[in-house]
PDB file of all heavy atoms in Angstrom:
ATOM      1  N   ASP P 186     -34.163  33.857   8.236  1.00 98.00           N
ATOM      2  CA  ASP P 186     -35.132  32.781   7.972  1.00 98.00           C
ATOM      3  C   ASP P 186     -34.859  32.059   6.654  1.00 98.00           C
ATOM      4  O   ASP P 186     -34.948  30.835   6.582  1.00 98.00           O
ATOM      5  CB  ASP P 186     -36.565  33.341   7.949  1.00 98.00           C
ATOM      6  CG  ASP P 186     -36.987  33.767   9.336  1.00 98.00           C
ATOM      7  OD1 ASP P 186     -36.461  33.178  10.309  1.00 98.00           O
ATOM      8  OD2 ASP P 186     -37.803  34.700   9.452  1.00 98.00           O
ATOM      9  N   GLU P 187     -34.515  32.858   5.622  1.00 98.00           N
ATOM     10  CA  GLU P 187     -34.271  32.227   4.315  1.00 98.00           C
ATOM     11  C   GLU P 187     -33.063  31.290   4.367  1.00 98.00           C
ATOM     12  O   GLU P 187     -33.093  30.181   3.838  1.00 98.00           O
ATOM     13  CB  GLU P 187     -34.023  33.302   3.248  1.00 98.00           C
ATOM     14  CG  GLU P 187     -35.305  33.826   2.657  1.00 98.00           C
ATOM     15  CD  GLU P 187     -35.072  35.006   1.730  1.00 98.00           C
ATOM     16  OE1 GLU P 187     -33.981  35.096   1.105  1.00 98.00           O
ATOM     17  OE2 GLU P 187     -35.992  35.845   1.650  1.00 98.00           O
ATOM     18  N   ILE P 188     -32.001  31.756   5.009  1.00 98.00           N
ATOM     19  CA  ILE P 188     -30.784  30.929   5.061  1.00 98.00           C
ATOM     20  C   ILE P 188     -31.040  29.689   5.926  1.00 98.00           C
ATOM     21  O   ILE P 188     -30.653  28.579   5.565  1.00 98.00           O
ATOM     22  CB  ILE P 188     -29.577  31.744   5.589  1.00 98.00           C
ATOM     23  CG1 ILE P 188     -29.292  32.906   4.630  1.00 98.00           C
ATOM     24  CG2 ILE P 188     -28.341  30.863   5.759  1.00 98.00           C
ATOM     25  CD1 ILE P 188     -28.179  33.826   5.048  1.00 98.00           C
ATOM     26  N   LEU P 189     -31.732  29.919   7.036  1.00 98.00           N
ATOM     27  CA  LEU P 189     -32.033  28.777   7.924  1.00 98.00           C
ATOM     28  C   LEU P 189     -32.797  27.699   7.151  1.00 98.00           C
ATOM     29  O   LEU P 189     -32.426  26.514   7.163  1.00 98.00           O
ATOM     30  CB  LEU P 189     -32.854  29.253   9.133  1.00 98.00           C
ATOM     31  CG  LEU P 189     -33.216  28.146  10.123  1.00 98.00           C
ATOM     32  CD1 LEU P 189     -32.002  27.747  10.964  1.00 98.00           C
ATOM     33  CD2 LEU P 189     -34.364  28.561  11.038  1.00 98.00           C
ATOM     34  N   ALA P 190     -33.840  28.120   6.447  1.00 98.00           N
ATOM     35  CA  ALA P 190     -34.678  27.150   5.728  1.00 98.00           C
ATOM     36  C   ALA P 190     -33.858  26.427   4.653  1.00 98.00           C
ATOM     37  O   ALA P 190     -33.914  25.192   4.537  1.00 98.00           O
ATOM     38  CB  ALA P 190     -35.874  27.867   5.099  1.00 98.00           C
ATOM     39  N   ALA P 191     -33.067  27.204   3.895  1.00 98.00           N
ATOM     40  CA  ALA P 191     -32.300  26.576   2.806  1.00 98.00           C
ATOM     41  C   ALA P 191     -31.299  25.567   3.364  1.00 98.00           C
ATOM     42  O   ALA P 191     -31.179  24.450   2.860  1.00 98.00           O
ATOM     43  CB  ALA P 191     -31.577  27.657   1.995  1.00 98.00           C
ATOM     44  N   TYR P 192     -30.610  25.942   4.432  1.00 98.00           N
ATOM     45  CA  TYR P 192     -29.553  25.050   4.960  1.00 98.00           C
ATOM     46  C   TYR P 192     -30.143  23.836   5.674  1.00 98.00           C
ATOM     47  O   TYR P 192     -29.536  22.764   5.675  1.00 98.00           O
ATOM     48  CB  TYR P 192     -28.548  25.838   5.823  1.00 98.00           C
ATOM     49  CG  TYR P 192     -27.480  26.489   4.937  1.00 98.00           C
ATOM     50  CD1 TYR P 192     -27.827  27.478   4.019  1.00 98.00           C
ATOM     51  CD2 TYR P 192     -26.146  26.081   4.978  1.00 98.00           C
ATOM     52  CE1 TYR P 192     -26.891  28.043   3.172  1.00 98.00           C
ATOM     53  CE2 TYR P 192     -25.198  26.647   4.131  1.00 98.00           C
ATOM     54  CZ  TYR P 192     -25.579  27.629   3.237  1.00 98.00           C
ATOM     55  OH  TYR P 192     -24.639  28.177   2.380  1.00 98.00           O
ATOM     56  N   LEU P 193     -31.338  24.005   6.248  1.00 98.00           N
ATOM     57  CA  LEU P 193     -31.970  22.820   6.872  1.00 98.00           C
ATOM     58  C   LEU P 193     -32.399  21.835   5.783  1.00 98.00           C
ATOM     59  O   LEU P 193     -32.313  20.617   5.954  1.00 98.00           O
ATOM     60  CB  LEU P 193     -33.137  23.226   7.769  1.00 98.00           C
ATOM     61  CG  LEU P 193     -32.719  23.907   9.084  1.00 98.00           C
ATOM     62  CD1 LEU P 193     -33.951  24.327   9.889  1.00 98.00           C
ATOM     63  CD2 LEU P 193     -31.808  23.017   9.950  1.00 98.00           C
ATOM     64  N   ASP P 194     -32.815  22.381   4.639  1.00 98.00           N
ATOM     65  CA  ASP P 194     -33.146  21.506   3.494  1.00 98.00           C
ATOM     66  C   ASP P 194     -31.886  20.766   3.030  1.00 98.00           C
ATOM     67  O   ASP P 194     -31.909  19.557   2.790  1.00 98.00           O
ATOM     68  CB  ASP P 194     -33.677  22.322   2.310  1.00 98.00           C
ATOM     69  CG  ASP P 194     -35.138  22.691   2.502  1.00 98.00           C
ATOM     70  OD1 ASP P 194     -35.738  22.186   3.465  1.00 98.00           O
ATOM     71  OD2 ASP P 194     -35.655  23.498   1.694  1.00 98.00           O
ATOM     72  N   HIS P 195     -30.782  21.515   2.895  1.00 98.00           N
ATOM     73  CA  HIS P 195     -29.520  20.879   2.477  1.00 98.00           C
ATOM     74  C   HIS P 195     -29.137  19.777   3.479  1.00 98.00           C
ATOM     75  O   HIS P 195     -28.688  18.704   3.098  1.00 98.00           O
ATOM     76  CB  HIS P 195     -28.361  21.885   2.430  1.00 98.00           C
ATOM     77  CG  HIS P 195     -28.546  23.009   1.467  1.00 98.00           C
ATOM     78  ND1 HIS P 195     -29.259  22.892   0.299  1.00 98.00           N
ATOM     79  CD2 HIS P 195     -28.074  24.293   1.475  1.00 98.00           C
ATOM     80  CE1 HIS P 195     -29.233  24.050  -0.348  1.00 98.00           C
ATOM     81  NE2 HIS P 195     -28.519  24.909   0.345  1.00 98.00           N
ATOM     82  N   ALA P 196     -29.326  20.093   4.776  1.00 98.00           N
ATOM     83  CA  ALA P 196     -28.903  19.159   5.833  1.00 98.00           C
ATOM     84  C   ALA P 196     -29.617  17.829   5.682  1.00 98.00           C
ATOM     85  O   ALA P 196     -29.025  16.760   5.885  1.00 98.00           O
ATOM     86  CB  ALA P 196     -29.191  19.758   7.208  1.00 98.00           C
ATOM     87  N   GLU P 197     -30.894  17.894   5.316  1.00 97.00           N
ATOM     88  CA  GLU P 197     -31.673  16.662   5.186  1.00 97.00           C
ATOM     89  C   GLU P 197     -31.055  15.727   4.138  1.00 97.00           C
ATOM     90  O   GLU P 197     -30.945  14.525   4.356  1.00 97.00           O
ATOM     91  CB  GLU P 197     -33.088  17.032   4.777  1.00 97.00           C
ATOM     92  CG  GLU P 197     -34.104  16.147   5.462  1.00 97.00           C
ATOM     93  CD  GLU P 197     -35.487  16.726   5.309  1.00 97.00           C
ATOM     94  OE1 GLU P 197     -35.792  17.735   5.980  1.00 97.00           O
ATOM     95  OE2 GLU P 197     -36.230  16.172   4.500  1.00 97.00           O
ATOM     96  N   ILE P 198     -30.623  16.318   3.023  1.00 97.00           N
ATOM     97  CA  ILE P 198     -30.034  15.485   1.956  1.00 97.00           C
ATOM     98  C   ILE P 198     -28.614  15.053   2.328  1.00 97.00           C
ATOM     99  O   ILE P 198     -28.207  13.922   2.075  1.00 97.00           O
ATOM    100  CB  ILE P 198     -30.011  16.236   0.599  1.00 97.00           C
ATOM    101  CG1 ILE P 198     -31.403  16.782   0.288  1.00 97.00           C
ATOM    102  CG2 ILE P 198     -29.512  15.323  -0.524  1.00 97.00           C
ATOM    103  CD1 ILE P 198     -31.441  17.713  -0.905  1.00 97.00           C
ATOM    104  N   LEU P 199     -27.864  15.967   2.946  1.00 98.00           N
ATOM    105  CA  LEU P 199     -26.440  15.680   3.171  1.00 98.00           C
ATOM    106  C   LEU P 199     -26.174  14.827   4.416  1.00 98.00           C
ATOM    107  O   LEU P 199     -25.093  14.240   4.551  1.00 98.00           O
ATOM    108  CB  LEU P 199     -25.649  16.999   3.267  1.00 98.00           C
ATOM    109  CG  LEU P 199     -25.558  17.799   1.956  1.00 98.00           C
ATOM    110  CD1 LEU P 199     -24.828  19.124   2.182  1.00 98.00           C
ATOM    111  CD2 LEU P 199     -24.836  16.996   0.858  1.00 98.00           C
ATOM    112  N   ALA P 200     -27.157  14.745   5.325  1.00 98.00           N
ATOM    113  CA  ALA P 200     -26.933  14.058   6.611  1.00 98.00           C
ATOM    114  C   ALA P 200     -26.235  12.696   6.475  1.00 98.00           C
ATOM    115  O   ALA P 200     -25.245  12.435   7.168  1.00 98.00           O
ATOM    116  CB  ALA P 200     -28.247  13.928   7.368  1.00 98.00           C
ATOM    117  N   PRO P 201     -26.689  11.811   5.576  1.00 98.00           N
ATOM    118  CA  PRO P 201     -26.038  10.493   5.526  1.00 98.00           C
ATOM    119  C   PRO P 201     -24.599  10.519   5.014  1.00 98.00           C
ATOM    120  O   PRO P 201     -23.883   9.528   5.155  1.00 98.00           O
ATOM    121  CB  PRO P 201     -26.918   9.688   4.555  1.00 98.00           C
ATOM    122  CG  PRO P 201     -27.879  10.618   3.956  1.00 98.00           C
ATOM    123  CD  PRO P 201     -27.841  11.922   4.669  1.00 98.00           C
ATOM    124  N   TYR P 202     -24.194  11.641   4.446  1.00 98.00           N
ATOM    125  CA  TYR P 202     -22.832  11.741   3.907  1.00 98.00           C
ATOM    126  C   TYR P 202     -21.845  12.299   4.931  1.00 98.00           C
ATOM    127  O   TYR P 202     -20.636  12.200   4.752  1.00 98.00           O
ATOM    128  CB  TYR P 202     -22.810  12.682   2.686  1.00 98.00           C
ATOM    129  CG  TYR P 202     -23.590  12.166   1.508  1.00 98.00           C
ATOM    130  CD1 TYR P 202     -24.954  12.421   1.370  1.00 98.00           C
ATOM    131  CD2 TYR P 202     -22.955  11.415   0.526  1.00 98.00           C
ATOM    132  CE1 TYR P 202     -25.672  11.953   0.284  1.00 98.00           C
ATOM    133  CE2 TYR P 202     -23.662  10.943  -0.574  1.00 98.00           C
ATOM    134  CZ  TYR P 202     -25.024  11.211  -0.688  1.00 98.00           C
ATOM    135  OH  TYR P 202     -25.724  10.744  -1.765  1.00 98.00           O
ATOM    136  N   ILE P 203     -22.373  12.943   5.965  1.00 98.00           N
ATOM    137  CA  ILE P 203     -21.493  13.644   6.915  1.00 98.00           C
ATOM    138  C   ILE P 203     -20.965  12.645   7.941  1.00 98.00           C
ATOM    139  O   ILE P 203     -21.739  11.928   8.582  1.00 98.00           O
ATOM    140  CB  ILE P 203     -22.257  14.827   7.573  1.00 98.00           C
ATOM    141  CG1 ILE P 203     -22.668  15.828   6.478  1.00 98.00           C
ATOM    142  CG2 ILE P 203     -21.400  15.498   8.653  1.00 98.00           C
ATOM    143  CD1 ILE P 203     -23.556  16.970   6.936  1.00 98.00           C
ATOM    144  N   GLY P 204     -19.637  12.579   8.046  1.00 98.00           N
ATOM    145  CA  GLY P 204     -19.061  11.582   8.952  1.00 98.00           C
ATOM    146  C   GLY P 204     -17.670  11.962   9.401  1.00 98.00           C
ATOM    147  O   GLY P 204     -17.252  13.112   9.279  1.00 98.00           O
ATOM    148  N   ASN P 205     -16.944  10.958   9.909  1.00 98.00           N
ATOM    149  CA  ASN P 205     -15.605  11.194  10.430  1.00 98.00           C
ATOM    150  C   ASN P 205     -14.566  10.689   9.417  1.00 98.00           C
ATOM    151  O   ASN P 205     -14.248   9.497   9.359  1.00 98.00           O
ATOM    152  CB  ASN P 205     -15.446  10.485  11.782  1.00 98.00           C
ATOM    153  CG  ASN P 205     -14.186  10.927  12.484  1.00 98.00           C
ATOM    154  OD1 ASN P 205     -13.160  11.170  11.839  1.00 98.00           O
ATOM    155  ND2 ASN P 205     -14.252  11.037  13.798  1.00 98.00           N
TER     156      ASN P 205
END
Side-chain angles (χ1 to χ4, degrees):
D186 291 332
E187 275 173 29
I188 298 177
L189 180 75
Y192 276 65
L193 288 178
D194 280 352
H195 299 329
E197 218 167 286
I198 308 171
L199 292 177
Y202 294 87
I203 298 174
N205 191 324

